[in-house]
Amino acid sequence: ASFGAGRAGGAIDPVDFLKQPQTLLRVTTWIFSIVVFGSIVNECYVNKDSQHPELLCIFNENESACSYGIAVGLIAFFGCIFFFVVDLHFQQISSVKDRKRAVLLDLGFSGFLAFLWFVAFCFLANQWQRTTLTRGFSQGADAARAAITFSFFSIIIWVVLALRALQRYRLGTDMSLFATEQFGSDPSASYPGYPGGSGVESTESYQSPPFSESLEPNPKGYQVPAY
């Protein structure tokens, strides 16, 4: 196989593709990203109390915390869609170099998202600990906890995706796909040379020329001139 997939042009079974661990992980983290940025957008902007009608970020009134959580969630959301499509068409990529680039891109992106989610979890958890729950903020407390919890779960899944991409990269390419039938299976076998003869020298005598008449020193009708 080449980087965890078979030869290019092979048929893709949708059921088997959806059952792959990598596909399940992408779908799971895609759902987690929706939960995080959906919870922040819908329920983490609340009124502090009746005297403050403006909407404030529930995480210690820190707008940066909400903005960062939404940004990471959206990046993960679209990243999951992109790599889901790449996984779907990965076996159709005929170039080994293109497959290698796709695996390296997956490895780098997964590691980067794991780092972003780690920062998001620490940032949101820290700001939530400093939040003073008022009557208005209490309405969005469950959404804030959900965003923090699923941020933590997202770290684990993206780390697993990065490890799987690293495993696929280490698999590399099976060069036996490019072997031809002219090479023997034994690595110590020599390269087949040009076919020779039987090795036995022929015992047949040399045949006489087709002209059996002997050559006369003075052909008839020709005389040597006298000087």
Side-chain angles (χ1 to χ4, degrees), residues 7 16 51 58 94:
R7 298 187 181 187
D16 292 340
Q51 298 179 356
I58 196 174
S94 58

Side-chain angles (χ1 to χ4, degrees), residues 97-165:
K97 292 183 179 180
D98 292 339
R99 287 192 177 190
K100 182 178 180 180
R101 293 189 187 100
V103 173
L104 287 176
L105 182 62
D106 186 12
L107 174 60
F109 185 82
S110 299
F112 180 64
L113 257 294
F115 172 74
L116 291 182
W117 279 120
F118 175 75
V119 176
F121 169 74
C122 295
F123 191 15
L124 296 178
N126 178 264
Q127 294 300 308
W128 179 247
Q129 291 178 349
R130 299 181 180 183
T131 301
T132 301
L133 287 180
T134 61
R135 183 176 181 181
F137 281 179
S138 299
Q139 298 176 359
D142 292 337
R145 296 189 184 98
I148 295 173
T149 302
F150 284 97
S151 295
F152 176 77
F153 291 154
S154 297
I155 300 172
I156 300 174
I157 296 180
W158 282 104
V159 168
V160 174
L161 285 172
L163 293 176
R164 289 190 62 85

Side-chain angles (χ1 to χ4, degrees), residues 59-86:
F59 293 100
N60 197 28
E61 303 181 22
N62 189 343
E63 180 65 25
S64 299
C66 289
S67 299
Y68 184 82
I70 295 172
V72 176
L74 289 175
I75 293 173
F77 175 81
F78 290 108
C80 288
I81 296 177
F82 173 77
F83 282 102
F84 184 87
V85 176
V86 171

